[in-house]
Amino acid sequence: MSAPVIEPVRTPVPDSKGLAAEARRTTPARFDTALGWSDRPGIAWTFRILLCAIAVGIFAAPFLTIFSGALTPHPSGSSLSFLPHDSTLLNFRVAGERGIWDYLGNSLVIAGGGLLLQLVVCTLAAYALARHRFRGQAVIMMLFMMTLMLPEEVIAIPLSLVLGDVPVVHLDLKGTVWGVILPLGAWGFSVMMLTEFMRDIPAEIEEAARLDGVGELRMLWQVVLPLCKPALGVAGVLGFIMIWDQYLLPLIAAKDPTDYTVTVALSILRTDPEVGSGVVLAGAVIALIPSLIVYLLLQRSLVTGIAAGATKG
């Protein structure tokens, strides 16, 4: 009895029509690209490049004008251009003589301390609201949200009175950095955002950690925070910009012009008749650099956090 003959498995070879169909299935469709435009050179491709150039021009034009005016000896509001004429650093030297670097140091101290305090307070508050259940939880969240609805002008006078005589301890915080840092210690936006991120953490992870004997602070530090890095990046960038752009709070918390921040100093330079607009623009460039550095360092965390918030659930 002879052994059965096993025929080898033959892979079917597609004909030309099959290859064309396969190519159509693997080639991106027209609407797979951004806004449904083709990525091949053509009318749509040219139109897309034109729109991108217009968008870049709209956003970049103010910055180019500021830098150009800061490097121009005597710029005029009617003759500002994108390129400086007779470039010089004289405006920066005059701004330095007017104390802009001292004001910048005050802003850096307040922004660094305020952001650190804000992240700590908002993280602890968000952890309590997201991972625990207690009475009045909705009321507390509503109070945090109400702080976003009150403009600074409404609370300026009460805040000035409180900073002049802090209840219970009866301390005068005016003229100190604490008078600016402490009111910025909690921000309703960061509390709300971090709370929503922490609520999405699976309960099984927390239960497994508690079985290993993990306490509350260790749970927050080693389990929850590593999973909330994108949200912390967003809170860090937006919190820094919010603190850096403060104008009214440093103004009412100061006792002496030496206590001003760089944002308040710009308004002083603007009203000084002995300096021109070029010095003001030089001060604006100096005030812009820290925010730009923070954004460039944390832009990946910012984009990741925004994308994670848009796609969660």
Side-chain angles (χ1 to χ4, degrees), residues 89-263:
L89 297 178
L90 177 63
N91 293 327
F92 291 93
R93 184 171 64 83
V94 175
E97 294 174 354
R98 297 290 175 173
I100 193 67
W101 300 112
D102 295 332
Y103 298 133
L104 180 65
N106 294 339
S107 294
L108 291 175
V109 172
I110 292 173
L115 181 61
L116 179 61
L117 179 63
Q118 186 180 107
L119 289 178
V120 172
V121 173
C122 293
T123 299
L124 293 175
Y127 177 72
L129 292 171
R131 310 306 298 181
H132 295 276
R133 296 292 179 266
F134 52 89
R135 290 185 178 181
Q137 188 174 15
V139 176
I140 294 177
M141 178 59 74
M142 183 182 65
L143 292 176
F144 276 114
M145 297 300 299
M146 288 178 61
T147 60
L148 299 176
M149 305 176 188
L150 293 175
E152 294 181 350
E153 294 77 8
V154 174
I155 62 175
I157 296 178
L159 184 59
S160 177
L161 296 176
V162 171
L163 292 177
D165 185 13
V166 180
V168 181
V169 293
H170 300 290
L171 292 177
D172 184 6
L173 297 180
K174 286 190 174 182
T176 65
V177 294
W178 295 109
V180 185
I181 291 177
L182 291 180
L184 300 172
W187 190 25
F189 176 80
S190 295
V191 174
M192 178 190 66
M193 181 186 59
L194 291 173
T195 299
E196 294 302 320
F197 266 81
M198 291 182 183
R199 281 177 179 171
D200 290 339
I201 298 177
E204 292 78 6
I205 298 178
E206 183 177 353
E207 294 172 357
R210 293 194 183 280
L211 290 176
D212 294 336
V214 176
E216 292 293 343
L217 293 180
R218 188 180 174 189
M219 174 77 69
L220 174 63
W221 181 258
Q222 295 185 354
V223 178
V224 177
L225 286 185
L227 299 176
C228 296
K229 286 183 178 180
L232 290 175
V234 176
V237 173
L238 299 183
F240 180 86
I241 295 176
M242 185 271 291
I243 297 173
W244 189 263
D245 292 340
Q246 285 291 321
Y247 174 79
L248 189 59
L249 179 58
L251 189 61
I252 65 177
K255 279 188 175 181
D256 189 83
T258 58
D259 301 327
Y260 290 158
T261 59
V262 68
T263 52

Side-chain angles (χ1 to χ4, degrees), residues 36-121:
W37 292 332
S38 174
D39 55 353
R40 298 178 180 178
I43 297 178
W45 181 83
T46 305
F47 185 62
R48 178 174 60 178
I49 296 298
L50 180 61
L51 285 180
C52 292
I54 294 175
V56 171
I58 292 175
F59 286 100
F63 295 99
L64 293 177
T65 303
I66 292 175
F67 282 99
S68 174
L71 296 174
T72 302
H74 301 287
S76 174
S78 59
S79 62
L80 289 176
S81 62
F82 296 150
L83 297 177
H85 303 286
D86 301 328
S87 300
T88 179
L89 297 178
L90 177 63
N91 293 327
F92 291 93
R93 184 171 64 83
V94 175
E97 294 174 354
R98 297 290 175 173
I100 193 67
W101 300 112
D102 295 332
Y103 298 133
L104 180 65
N106 294 339
S107 294
L108 291 175
V109 172
I110 292 173
L115 181 61
L116 179 61
L117 179 63
Q118 186 180 107
L119 289 178
V120 172
V121 173

